[in-house]
């Protein structure tokens, strides 16, 4: 099943384009599931139809759902959270504890579990996702690293400890030691998250479409998001430039806006090494099936939106004459914002405030890092 993520800064048109893409994909003959993972759901508003937490058929070939995140979270996380809070305060470093306790990105991850459920139904070819604004999506991608460290370093120890202590302490007062159910729930959640992450990082299945507006702040933020998506191994295969002033509006009152826009269009072209699609600023809000169909037609014009629009991979590992090099697209990143270390079999990479531990292939692990260069928005890392 193909997965198309729609992400971008707040208010740029993510929901609108997710909806239009779903309609275009259905028109291309796919069975489409349209999923909103943004806790502030607005797919229903966009279609002008009620959509709930149960799959609802919206148009021929399009079924939609808005995941009820709070309910889901309540179900799978609140108990675990209480247990973790006590545990982490005492025993791990502060950053890890904060990241796990504040659960940045957890809401988004919990709702993205729905992608797996959609896939398991086996009835859909394409899952179009209307994501929360970029910040949340990125936090969601980074959450599992913290969880993995916790799993690998503490989980088994805690569980064994609990098995030993429970029969003794339960005699005094029950509930002093976390129950086996709790460990199971935690393990299940971890495995769910791991599977979602695999889907998102599987570049043959999943690609992100970044929605931007031709304005300075939006472009700057989106450039950072693009780099973060690459860092976390999610492929971006298109940028949708939304709300471009149409020809007839580029004179008179809007002439200066039009000039500014021109500059931003050049900036967008230089910033994103992927295909760009353009949608005009329409004279009114895009609401309802008819308006969305017409936007879909103008953007996709008979093309299949489920196709992968570029073969660019976020992270490439190449071998050449006995040397191994890793290539990572990080548009807009500056040298002083990067930090890079090899630790055993992992490459630790930090770009501004985002970091990732990348498992190195066997062919590289144990070798010395020879050089790292940042050139035209691409980071090259070479091993001896
Ligand atoms: N090309 C366009 N022309 C005119 N109006 C548009 C266009 N694209 C989107 N809109 C309108 O802009 C508003 C915001 O769009 P939308 O809800 O899709 O943004 P969003 O990125 O999903 O926002 P949020 O971050 O709040 O989820 C909506 O009222 C929508 O109808
Ligand atoms: Mg939205």
């Amino acid at each position: 099943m193909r997965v198309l993520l729609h992400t971008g800064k707040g208010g740029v048109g993510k929901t609108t384009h997710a909806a239009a893409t779903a309609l275009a994909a259905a028109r291309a003959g796919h069975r489409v599931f349209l999923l909103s993972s943004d806790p502030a759901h607005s797919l229903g508003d966009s279609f002008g139809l009620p959509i709930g937490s149960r799959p609802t058929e919206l148009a021929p070939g399009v079924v939609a759902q808005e995941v009820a995140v709070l309910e889901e979270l309540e179900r799978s996380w609140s108990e675990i959270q209480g247990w973790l809070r006590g545990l982490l305060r005492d025993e791990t470093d502060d950053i890890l504890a904060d990241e796990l306790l504040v659960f940045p990105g957890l809401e988004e991850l919990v709702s993205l579990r729905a992608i797996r459920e959609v896939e398991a139904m086996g009835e859909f070819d394409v899952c179009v996702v209307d994501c929360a604004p970029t910040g949340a999506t990125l936090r969601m991608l980074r959450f599992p690293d913290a969880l993995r460290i916790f799993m690998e370093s503490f989980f088994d120890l805690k569980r064994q400890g609990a098995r030993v202590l429970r029969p003794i302490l339960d005699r005094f007062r029950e509930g002093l030691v976390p129950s086996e159910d709790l460990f199971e729930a935690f393990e299940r959640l971890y495995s769910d998250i791991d599977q979602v992450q695999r889907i998102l990082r599987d570049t043959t299945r999943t690609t992100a479409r970044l929605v931007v507006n031709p304005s300075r702040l939006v472009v700057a933020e989106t450039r950072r998001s693009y780099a973060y998506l690459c860092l976390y191994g999610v492929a971006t295969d298109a940028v949708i430039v939304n709300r471009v002033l149409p020809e007839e509006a580029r004179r008179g009152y809007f002439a200066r806006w039009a000039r500014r826009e021109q500059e931003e269009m050049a900036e967008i072209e230089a910033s994103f090494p992927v295909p760009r699609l353009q949608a005009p600023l329409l004279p009114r809000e895009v609401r309802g099936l008819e308006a969305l169909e017409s936007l879909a037609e103008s953007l996709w014009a008979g093309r299949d939106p489920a196709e992968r629009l570029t073969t660019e991979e976020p992270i490439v590992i190449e071998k050449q004459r006995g040397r191994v090099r890793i290539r990572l697209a990080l548009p807009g990143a500056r040298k002083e914002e990067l930090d890079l270390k090899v630790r055993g079999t992992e490459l630790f990479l930090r770009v501004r405030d985002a970091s990732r531990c990348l498992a190195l292939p066997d062919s590289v692990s144990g070798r010395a890092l020879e050089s790292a260069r940042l050139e035209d928005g691409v980071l090259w890392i070479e091993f001896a």
Side-chain angles (χ1 to χ4, degrees), residues 14-15 38 40 42 130-131:
K14 299 177 290 298
T15 302
D38 183 354
S42 54
D130 173 23
C131 299

Side-chain angles (χ1 to χ4, degrees), residues 33-37 43 65 67 111-112 114-115 118 127-130:
F33 199 96
L34 175 57
L35 185 76
S36 165
S37 69
L43 267 183
Q65 183 188 7
V67 183
S111 46
L112 287 178
I115 298 178
V118 173
C127 181
V128 178
V129 188
D130 173 23

